[in-house]
Amino acid sequence: MACICANAINNGVKRTHFYLFLCLFSIGKYCNAQFDQRISASYNEAPLIDVIMELESEFQVKFFYNEKWFKEGTVTADLNGLSIRDALPKILEAQKLTYVLRAPNYVILLPDEGDSNQTLTVDNSRNERVSIGSLDLSAEKAKISGHIINGENNAPLNGTVITIEENENRYLSDVNGYFELTLPIGDYNIKFHHPTMVDYTISTTLNSDGKLNVQMFEDVFVLEEVVISTEAIDQNVTKTITGQEIIDIETIKSIPAFFGEADVFNSVLSLPGVSKLGEGSSGINVRGGGVGQNLIQIDDAIVYNPSHLFGFFSTFNADAVSQVNFYRGSIPVEYGGRLSSVMDVEIKNGNKSEFTGAGGVGFINSRFLIEGPVRKDSTSFLAGIRAAYPTYIIRRLEDEDLKNSSAFFGDANLKIDHLIDVKNRISVNGYISKDQFDFSDEAEYEYGNKAISAEWNGQIFQNTFIESTANYSIYDYTFKDITDPQLASSLNANVNQFTWDNKFQTETGKHKLSYGTSLTGLSINPGDYQKGSSESILQPVSIAQEDGWLGALFIGDEYEQSDKLSFYAGVRYSIFSGGRPGLEEIYHGPEPRLSVNFQTTTTSSIKLSYNRMRQYIHFISNTTSATPIDLWKLSNESIRPAIADQITLGYFRNFEQNMYETSAEIFYKKTTDLVEYKNGADLFLNQDIEGEIVQGEGQAYGLEFLLKKTRGNFNGWISYTFSRSLIKVEDPNPFNTINNGDFFPTNFDQPHNISAFAKISLSRRLSINTNFTYNTGRPISYPESAYQIRGITVTDFVERNKYRIPDYHRLDVSFVMATSLKREKKIEANWSLSIYNIYGRRNAYSVYFKTNEITGESESFQLSVIARPIIALSYNFKF
Amino acid sequence: MITRRYIYILLLLGACVEVFDPEIDSSSDQHLVVDALLTNENVRQIVTLSKTTEVGDTALIPVANAVVQIEDSNGDVFEFVYFKKGRYLSVNTFSGIVGNSYRLLIDVNGQRYESTFEELLPPGEIRGINTEFGFVPLQEETGEILNVPRISFSADVTFPANETSYYRFDWNATYQARTPSQGSGVCWTERGENEPEELVTDRVCYISENSSNFLKLFSSEGLEGTTFDDVEVFSVNPNKRFQTIYSPELVLYRISENIYDFWDAIEDQTFNAGSLFDSPPGPISGNMRNTDPNGTRVIGIFEVASVFRYRSFLKPSVVGRQLLHYDPDCTLQPGPFGTPPPPRPFSCCECLLLENSTAIKPAFWQD
């Protein structure tokens, strides 16, 4: 979706109705029925805004306008018996406004007095035609210039392709989104194309030199609880890359969340093919992959542990997030290093024209974010912080140990964005997250991520742009056990990563080339175990540090052969060197990527993709759920890199002018050298962890369906996924062969997954959001026999993951109520009441067997992490 | 450690643990289970052979028709004979010799099983027993939490320098008991057939108790020096145990690393399961193998261990006098209004009726 506006870029008005009505021009046809409804009302000096709201309420029509256009005058008219269509001229008579009707039910109000000297005018009689400049009969040519920006955050959109359809000439916007082109006087259709935005075409009449500022949007955006899509052909159908999702901040915020805290992971989890093992488990599982197979980045800097409080919250402040790019199918060549998915969290650029902010106060945590200009129009900052304060709750409990305990978690963002000149822009982003928990003077732990990234965007040739990024990330944890002074210990471990990426983008004709280099330095300190007190008799242990280098060259080309057929083909060649001292090894190989989009109609397409990914760093975790103290380990002579080949075939179809999006995708993924663990593997401070690991062959396949309603008072989506994730481990040593060398389910094999989200706008103030999740229970091993040894009853687990825990399902609901409907309010605020697990389902996290120490009998138990509804109230605001 | 602490946080969020009855395929084959211990004590060594049972069944299915031998690294073979309940006793008493290695050989139903050779290592040492008295919360069936008295026993251990040594603890105890109403007739109104002919009013009994469902391991891995104090071994409710003298004996078995790993896996899967971050359970491999790679599976352990025993005689002062004669079973409970109090158990009037009781003073006893 795109829209155009006069002087819009820096006027500080964001998401006003003014933008929206222009965006709606791309909707094609009138819809008569809605506007032929008869009115039975008369008005006497009624404020126009009241009349509009009454019509909206009574006839289910939507008005779009800029209130600034409204004159002081009122409406005095007898409308009895008139249709809406006939009544509108009377209503607007005193307002110097005209209107355009658009399907399905939109009434777009427009100022009736164009200013030919303004940057842009709209010729209402010709609907979508824009008149540029004043009529100058002497002129033969004229220059159109302007800026193209992201309508969501005012960020300039460099690399936007501007095509004059009449002569097929193409131009590119620079790093500031600026473009300039000279054309003979006349009428033109100008098409704007940007890879992350929806294409937009506008009809213009070029009279003389003029400015044309363009705002582009993603396919959908949310405005006052109404989701509007303006494109006849939506991105889900037209994009060549399959399996890519762009999740905007409004979607993230609208999904009911644990303790009411908007969470990036929640929105990703609602996508088909994405699941997690339950409450209290960190990370996500994508198309049968483990949590360590996802590349999670914040402004290009990697985040090794994206979870607070062992997985209950993600470490990303939703207020600071611009959007989340999530790839699970075809992954562009600039990404590598993980097998299953890429989650690229983009932090907003600060507002360059005025100070704005947002925040929220909740039951367990609060947050605050402020952004604004450092130097108007060129430099901005964004600073955000989130902090949780569960300690006051913990200390109110009766348990003496808990009274002496404390907990904290939080995160902070700081971003500086600076436009150097028209062709160069730099930004620096700093990020920190921390979790801390002290238990009754017995144990303390803390863990956290730190990341800093710097990015330079520049135009180095007319049609070539560079994006150079340098970033440094560190994840570290400390665990102190001070229960017994003799055994008091302190364990520290960390993962450090430095990456320098250079990505070039060149557009020539129908080709869009991406190519570049990536260089990553990795350093892992697997564990430094020290005495935790002077009385401690523990022997300090330091596991040898592992270092490695990972380099990659990549090139990819997105080629649009015709309106119906487009390709994306590329290859990434990666090379790794390093590993545990003494076992260093070099691995390298190509990672081809291919994607084909065949658009069968204007509203449907078939996509096919193939991907190869290589992963040289392994997540070592032998527990049900990932823990903060799990290890990362580099490939070496004994541990080979894992390689995944995935093929995806999908059919995408939209209905009702993109109101409904549907898709069906099937995928098959084969992975070699997946890391698995021997029975009873001991990973803690193990100097020779290679001896505990076996590598097997993975196999995942599935079918994913999605139905999405993108606009209206009732919108949302439902997805269903059937998938399997299996692994086969055969080892020369028969004792290390698992389940007789047959394929068996991985820990995260959950064949059936249903995810549904609905947003119901009851009024302008009140909306209800609901979220339902269903998963087949995850695999688990049950004992099939028992035996007595030394008087102890021991259960015998033979076959790994043969059984399943009970199925998981949960319904969450949130009610969001705006505090005020005033349109000129300085602070927009709402109250959000969320109920997580509304029917109090005791979803099994695990089933375990334990011998009763008194009776000696083996008993089985189910552990449910959240066994009741969790109700939370939060107050959210922005200014 | 971190995982156990985390459970407390979960409770805040509404976590819940409840009994669950999963459907289990119990049609799997029965396998041979070996439970064998060879020590450096000159006794008739014991090997117990049984079969696996269905989950939830605690009965032992004995295997009686096996040929059992222990062979040492010098080629000497020690024969075993079947005794009862799956137990095979060595034909003669013998003791393992420190420095020698031993393996267990079993022939049964045409299958031959053998263990790896296990070396008998020099014993560790317990230098002393420490006690600590306190109260621990215990949840009643009603959900009420009571703080019950508990006395715990710990050992000061000495282990060899410059090598990692591995240990398994066991314990037993004997205590003197005088029932509160010894020799009186308050426990019954009419004499029955099974009651002692004569009630001796000054009888002193010696009650013995052994560990049950007990597993305690210790290793010097990662420790500096040669000593470690206060390895908590077991705990009991003081109640009637501390009327006069309580004599616990701690037994320290020095074992090899792979035997330790076996017990460690059993401890994890049997007693420590239930945290959020459990490792997936799996089959526990001992040191027994079927000589035929395609033969039937064998479970269990041939444990070769040198033994160090340490006995202590503890007086009531370690507990606190207020609990000296507390025995809830023999405390007079008031009956419903207007009715006489119910009779106390017979054992309150005759200590010989207590379980594992004898009036014969043990040879090791020190008053």
Side-chain angles (χ1 to χ4, degrees), chain A residues 258-259 279-281 309-312 364 390 393-394 397 399 401-402 407 437 439 442-443 445 479 481 483-484 486-487 529 531 536-541 622-629 679-682 735 747 780-803 805-806 842 845-868 870, chain B residues 1-29 31 33-37 48 50-61 138 159 164 168 170 211-215 218 220-225 227-231 253 261-266 268-285 288-289 297 299-303:
Chain A
F258 189 67
F259 272 112
E279 288 95 358
S281 62
L309 196 63
F310 303 96
F312 282 104
I364 198 170
I393 307 169
I394 292 172
L397 298 174
D399 187 297
D401 284 335
L402 289 176
F437 179 54
F439 183 81
E442 291 182 9
Y445 72 80
F479 175 54
D481 185 352
T483 313
D484 181 345
Q486 291 180 100
L487 296 175
Y529 193 62
K531 294 182 180 190
S536 175
I537 61 167
L538 283 177
Q539 244 171 7
V541 177
N622 190 28
T623 53
T624 307
S625 173
T627 76
I629 60 170
N679 289 319
D682 183 8
F735 295 106
N747 287 339
I780 195 169
S781 306
Y782 286 162
E784 294 189 343
S785 62
Y787 54 92
Q788 301 277 321
I789 195 156
R790 224 52 62 85
I792 301 167
T793 302
V794 181
T795 44
D796 186 26
F797 298 82
V798 180
E799 206 166 330
R800 192 177 290 190
N801 288 350
K802 179 178 175 181
Y803 296 89
I805 64 172
R842 292 178 177 178
Y845 176 83
S846 67
V847 171
Y848 62 91
F849 292 75
K850 199 168 183 174
T851 294
N852 186 313
E853 293 185 29
I854 297 169
T855 65
E857 291 177 4
S858 178
E859 298 169 340
S860 51
F861 301 92
Q862 169 182 304
L863 169 64
S864 306
V865 174
I866 303 291
R868 62 185 180 205
I870 303 288
Chain B
M1 180 67 78
I2 188 170
T3 61
R4 316 261 158 77
R5 302 290 185 263
Y6 183 53
I7 287 291
Y8 284 88
I9 290 284
L10 294 181
L11 292 173
L12 287 178
L13 300 169
C16 136
V17 173
E18 55 196 328
V19 174
F20 180 73
D21 190 16
E23 286 184 18
I24 294 175
D25 177 6
S26 55
S27 62
S28 60
D29 296 338
H31 302 290
V33 180
V34 177
D35 179 5
L37 173 64
T48 305
S50 60
K51 286 182 178 177
T52 54
T53 61
E54 286 187 15
V55 177
D57 188 354
T58 55
L60 185 134
I61 303 173
L138 182 72
F159 47 82
T164 301
R168 180 175 66 83
D170 203 353
S211 64
S212 170
N213 283 309
F214 175 81
L215 186 57
F218 173 77
S220 65
E221 187 174 6
L223 301 180
E224 291 179 334
T227 62
F228 191 93
D229 295 335
D230 279 332
V231 180
Y253 294 94
D261 289 343
F262 172 82
W263 289 119
D264 191 40
I266 285 190
D268 273 353
Q269 279 188 201
T270 306
F271 298 114
N272 295 340
S275 83
L276 194 68
F277 303 125
D278 283 349
S279 297
I284 299 171
S285 298
M288 298 297 302
R289 302 283 180 268
R297 181 170 166 243
I299 298 167
I301 191 79
F302 171 49
E303 183 176 23

Side-chain angles (χ1 to χ4, degrees), chain A residues 665-835:
Chain A
E665 289 183 84
I666 55 173
F667 70 91
Y668 175 80
K669 184 160 65 176
K670 182 180 176 183
T671 308
T672 55
D673 290 320
L674 262 184
V675 165
E676 187 54 73
Y677 306 93
K678 295 178 182 174
N679 289 319
D682 183 8
L683 307 176
F684 185 71
L685 282 178
N686 191 332
Q687 303 268 12
D688 186 26
I689 217 161
E690 288 79 5
E692 307 290 329
I693 287 172
V694 284
Q695 290 187 279
E697 179 187 334
Q699 194 182 68
Y701 52 87
L703 180 59
E704 301 167 349
F705 295 101
L706 174 71
L707 168 64
K708 190 173 184 179
K709 183 172 184 289
T710 58
R711 57 178 186 263
N713 286 337
F714 177 87
N715 61 68
W717 62 82
I718 181 167
S719 70
Y720 167 74
T721 303
F722 170 78
S723 65
R724 297 301 312 269
S725 173
L726 309 169
I727 184 170
K728 181 169 81 170
V729 177
E730 280 182 306
D731 194 88
N733 180 347
F735 295 106
N736 296 335
T737 292
I738 300 171
N739 289 7
N740 302 316
D742 299 329
F743 275 106
F744 66 93
T746 63
N747 287 339
F748 30 87
D749 174 55
Q750 297 168 294
H752 300 283
N753 171 286
I754 297 172
S755 178
F757 167 71
K759 180 171 186 173
I760 306 159
S761 301
L762 297 179
S763 70
R764 282 176 174 268
R765 287 185 72 180
L766 182 63
S767 67
I768 300 175
N769 306 317
T770 62
N771 182 47
F772 175 77
T773 304
Y774 168 86
N775 280 322
T776 311
R778 67 173 176 81
I780 195 169
S781 306
Y782 286 162
E784 294 189 343
S785 62
Y787 54 92
Q788 301 277 321
I789 195 156
R790 224 52 62 85
I792 301 167
T793 302
V794 181
T795 44
D796 186 26
F797 298 82
V798 180
E799 206 166 330
R800 192 177 290 190
N801 288 350
K802 179 178 175 181
Y803 296 89
R804 291 184 181 278
I805 64 172
D807 292 351
Y808 179 102
H809 53 88
R810 195 191 77 231
L811 177 66
D812 313 322
V813 178
S814 70
F815 302 87
V816 180
M817 189 171 75
T819 54
S820 167
L821 281 178
K822 287 182 182 174
R823 290 170 188 277
E824 295 297 328
K825 53 187 175 282
K826 291 181 178 173
I827 296 178
E828 285 180 34
N830 66 53
W831 287 97
S832 172
L833 175 69
S834 66
I835 308 168

